[in-house]
Amino acid sequence: MPVSWIGILLVAGLASIGSCSAAAVEYDANAVIINGQRKIILSGSIHYPRSTVEMWSDLIQKAKAGGIDAIETYIFWNAHEPRRREYNFAGNLDFVQFFQKVQEAGLYGILRIGPYACAEWNYGGFPVWLHNIPGIKFRTDNEIFKNEMQTFTTKIVNMAKEAKLFASQGGPVILAQIENEYGNVMGSYGEAGKSYVKWCAQMAVAQNIGVPWIMCQQSDAPSPVINTCNGFYCDTFTPNNPTSPKMWTENWTGWFKKWGQKDPHRTAEDLAFAVARFFQYGGVLQNYYMYHGGTNFGRTSGGPFITTSYDYDAPLDEYGNLNQPKWGHLKNLHAALKLGENVLTNSTVKSTKYSDGWAELTTYTSNINGERFCFLSNTKMDDLDVDLQQDGKYFVPAWSVSILQGCNKEIHSTAKVNVQTSLIVKKLHENDKPQKLSWVWAAEPIKTPLHGRGRFKASQLIEQKAATNDETDYLWYMTRDDSKKIFHPHCHSMQYRVDNNKTASQNMTLRVKYSGQFLHAFVNGKEIGSQHDYGFTFEKPVLLKPGTNVISLLSVTVGLQNYGEFFDEGPEGIAGGPVELVDSSNTTTNLSTNEWSYKVGLIGEGRGRRFYDPTSGRAKWISGKLRVGRAMTWYKTTFQAPSGTEPVVVDLQGMGKGHAWVNGNSLGRFWPTETADPNGCDGKCDYRGKYKDSKCLSNCGNPTQRWYHVPRSFLNNGSNTLILFDEIGGNPSDVSFQITATETICGNAYEGSTLELSCNSEQRIISGIQYASFGDPQGSCGSFQKGSIEASSSLSAVEKACIGKDSCSINVSKTTFGVKDSFGVDNNRLAVQAVCTGYNENDEENHTQKKEN
Ligand code: GAL
């Protein structure tokens, strides 16, 4: 008997008001049951604020084309409630519209309300005002927190109900999540943590949404809430209730990136292996985290130090391009799994081991008609041959799962990639000439802070979030030694002036205990140094002059912590310090309770910290000689949008660290000078063996992030404005706008199959075949070589089929290549390497004709 969801009784009532018919979402251990239909669900995460409204449909369609059934997203509390009870659901925060598009595409939705998200999102999704409420304790049995969490959860649920988003109302949402991976940190919260989990479940269930609630990584999830698994592999996971389906809410398709780190890569083979293993071991629902990672626009990246790109090496890249072969290989896997859906969701299971236990055959036999469906896995690092007697002999590559329809026909091998590999490049559009950008600049007015004058004062070093409400990355802490309040520890409470009686300058050390990410220190108007890390002690020699000395410290956040027990309580900024002056005899003067003056944000950030108008203060744009390599500088230019419709990026090579805006839209933080470690990219990437985020790295020694996404919807046809703020000094002379395009594509296919090649854009065509060989070609994409035999018409046949088209398919057969039956080897194969080029719009007719032929 399937488990009926608690709110299912509501279904009939809610259905009568819905435009689409209500669906009952039920489940048992072997299936999610939607309107009586037993299903396995393949889902993918796309976070709505990490792209633009204009991108949503395309992303969702590409997910659908990739064989995805459901789209999953968190809800991001701090984006929706930036100030207490002031809500924002506009633009790409319109989660209702996002789910409506999911439904229009015929897909299901999974709503992870949290409202704690983690997600490499600033402060894990918590608003900073929440932290600033006196007496609050996050994620535990604290009335103030629970009230706020309930208020927000109810707000989201009510909005979803009003828009009839739940399946029980005819909408797409089949599951909702409360909290997020609390089980990972719960131990640190003691008994209060346990009662908090119970409260979360009760509070969620009482929302009566008519579809099941889930909690991830929560082995004590109170029934009826279903606990689910997150990780690179979840095959061995079992839910805490025998009637719950085995669900995997986060299958990490790659990994996120921090400033200074290399590019992560999880191979298509290993990802497919993990998915197939999960279904081999009774999985019911699997979600890719991320299916499209996207971009951390504005100041939404968490961390600290998470990059602006949240590409994640996901099946759809940051810009929405197909990440091939990952996207296509998973698509093939999904198609194979769906062929087994009826059997998998209602069957008896048996397992048999082969090859000393390294190979395992899992046989699902349908309880209805006896039909069989098998998974044959090999967890060894070596290939195996497995003899299934009357069901055939199988070559099972190392670290792979073969899916056998009817248990005797291989329909997929996770280690055999039969789809194209695409090399996506950033380049000037073929129709565009290089633009020589002309720049104006403005210096951020810092004289006032350098003179120690801020907006408010306190005799303590204030925690940064408390001072800024996190409305800006920037906080100035300033003090002057003529304040007469300098505290000297050796003289206990005696107060005295540091240097007033001195007649000569004195060498001292300025020491700052720092809990933020980036600190710039100035003494008497001169920068004495800057440093960045995960909290550190800053120490620099300073020459103090007789009389008044001014110390100005600019603390910069690079995303707030998003994960860990009590992560929300970690101090930011100089937060209590101490800030000290140490003289040559090691005598320390503690300045922490000195009178400190504060200034929140930059002048150029303007009102409401919208970050794009440096002239809102006293600064003026200057068009003379360009100021380069100087900290705290604003730059402005105008530019034409690149031709075509492909995704646009701005190359910020040459810039230091700061923030970028196009036509007032934030592109996020930039930091091209922060490079990845030069070592550790050996070019080798073995898909075999357990993936971890230190495997298969690339981009050593290069800027962690050089290109920044400029969504097409930020651009207009005429003139566009780019504003850059550089905090550490840079040179915009090499900044340029480019498109991202599939340039080189490679394919491989065996005789008897079809090779599909695509430039992944209607605006690009296959303009040349660099290599084509039917026979026994050797090597791989980028280094194919002729083998011992090759059909002489290889190149001409492929050219005929593909040149001038945006996609083509070739039957890999002897007939296609006009060779005799006796030609070649047993296993002839076609390897192709082709080039895609943007076609000139004048050639439109020509192109269309070729396509039609
Ligand atoms: C999980 C978390 C996600 C995300 C992921 C790493 O632990 O639930 O929100 O942070 O790790 O990308």
Side-chain angles (χ1 to χ4, degrees), residues 74 117-120 180-181 230 250 252 255-256 289 310 312:
Y74 284 119
C118 192
E120 291 68 71
N180 188 73
E181 293 194 334
N230 293 346
E250 290 181 26
W252 301 320
W255 201 238
F256 56 83
Y289 187 100
Y310 196 61
Y312 221 91

Side-chain angles (χ1 to χ4, degrees), residues 8 19 50 67 113 131 177 187 207 238 328 373 384 387 411 425 498 505 521 555 587 613 673 675 693 724 759 850:
I8 250 135
S19 52
R50 286 178 155 145
I113 298 180
H131 165 80
Q177 180 181 302
Q207 301 277 345
T238 39
F373 196 78
L384 292 173
D387 187 351
I411 52 170
V425 295
V498 173
S505 298
S555 169
T587 306
D613 188 9
T673 48
T675 52
D693 60 333
L724 303 172
C759 291
K850 277 188 177 153

